[in-house]
Coordinates of all heavy atoms in Angstrom, one line a residue:
Y915 N 15.9 19.6 6.6 CA 15.3 20.9 7.0 C 16.5 21.9 6.7 O 17.5 21.9 7.4 CB 15.0 21.0 8.5 CG 13.8 20.1 8.8 CD1 14.0 18.9 9.5 CD2 12.5 20.5 8.5 CE1 12.9 18.1 9.9 CE2 11.4 19.7 8.8 CZ 11.6 18.5 9.5 OH 10.6 17.7 9.8
A920 N 17.5 15.2 8.4 CA 16.8 14.6 9.5 C 16.6 13.1 9.3 O 16.5 12.3 10.2 CB 15.5 15.3 9.7
A939 N 12.5 7.5 20.0 CA 12.6 8.5 21.0 C 12.3 9.9 20.5 O 12.1 10.1 19.2 CB 14.0 8.5 21.6
N940 N 12.2 10.9 21.3 CA 12.0 12.3 20.9 C 13.1 12.7 19.9 O 14.3 12.4 20.2 CB 12.1 13.3 22.1 CG 10.9 13.2 22.9 OD1 11.0 12.8 24.1 ND2 9.8 13.6 22.4
G941 N 12.7 13.3 18.8 CA 13.7 13.8 17.9 C 14.3 12.7 16.9 O 15.2 13.0 16.1
A942 N 13.8 11.5 17.0 CA 14.3 10.4 16.1 C 14.0 10.7 14.7 O 14.7 10.2 13.8 CB 13.7 9.1 16.6
G943 N 12.9 11.4 14.4 CA 12.5 11.7 13.0 C 11.2 11.1 12.7 O 10.8 11.1 11.5
K944 N 10.4 10.7 13.6 CA 9.1 10.0 13.4 C 8.1 11.0 12.6 O 7.6 10.6 11.6 CB 8.4 9.6 14.7 CG 9.3 8.6 15.5 CD 8.7 8.1 16.7 CE 8.3 9.2 17.8 NZ 9.4 10.0 18.3
T945 N 8.0 12.2 13.2 CA 7.1 13.1 12.5 C 7.6 13.5 11.1 O 6.8 13.6 10.2 CB 6.9 14.4 13.4 OG1 6.3 14.0 14.7 CG2 5.9 15.4 12.8
T946 N 8.9 13.7 11.0 CA 9.5 14.0 9.7 C 9.1 13.0 8.7 O 8.8 13.3 7.6 CB 11.0 14.2 9.9 OG1 11.3 15.2 10.9 CG2 11.6 14.6 8.6
E987 N 0.0 15.2 15.1 CA 0.4 15.3 16.5 C -0.2 16.5 17.1 O -0.3 17.5 16.5 CB 1.9 15.4 16.6 CG 2.5 15.3 18.0 CD 4.0 15.3 18.0 OE1 4.7 15.3 17.0 OE2 4.5 15.4 19.1
E1063 N 1.3 10.0 17.2 CA 1.2 10.0 18.6 C -0.2 10.2 19.2 O -0.4 11.2 19.9 CB 2.2 11.0 19.2 CG 3.6 10.7 18.7 CD 4.7 11.0 19.7 OE1 4.4 11.1 20.9 OE2 5.9 11.1 19.2
Q1095 N 5.2 7.1 20.9 CA 6.3 6.9 21.9 C 5.8 5.8 22.9 O 6.7 5.3 23.6 CB 6.5 8.2 22.6 CG 7.4 9.1 21.8 CD 8.0 10.2 22.7 OE1 8.6 10.0 23.7 NE2 7.7 11.4 22.2
Ligands
ATP2095 P1 8.9 13.9 18.8 O1 8.6 12.5 19.3 O2 9.6 14.7 19.9 O3 7.8 14.6 18.1 P2 10.1 13.0 16.3 O4 10.7 11.6 16.4 O5 8.8 13.1 15.7 O6 10.2 13.6 17.8 P3 11.0 15.0 14.4 O7 10.0 16.0 14.9 O8 10.7 14.4 13.1 O9 11.2 13.9 15.5 O10 12.4 15.7 14.4 C1 13.6 15.0 13.8 C2 14.7 16.0 13.7 O11 14.4 17.1 12.8 C3 15.0 16.8 15.1 O12 16.4 16.9 15.2 C4 14.3 18.1 14.9 O13 15.0 19.1 15.7 C5 14.5 18.4 13.4 N1 13.3 19.2 12.9 C6 12.0 18.9 13.0 N2 11.3 19.8 12.5 C7 12.1 20.8 12.0 C8 11.9 22.1 11.4 N3 10.7 22.5 11.0 N4 13.1 22.8 11.1 C9 14.3 22.3 11.5 N5 14.5 21.1 12.1 C10 13.4 20.4 12.4

Side-chain angles (χ1 to χ4, degrees):
Y915 293 106
N940 286 116
K944 303 182 298 298
T945 300
T946 303
E987 186 175 352
E1063 305 216 18
Q1095 278 197 55

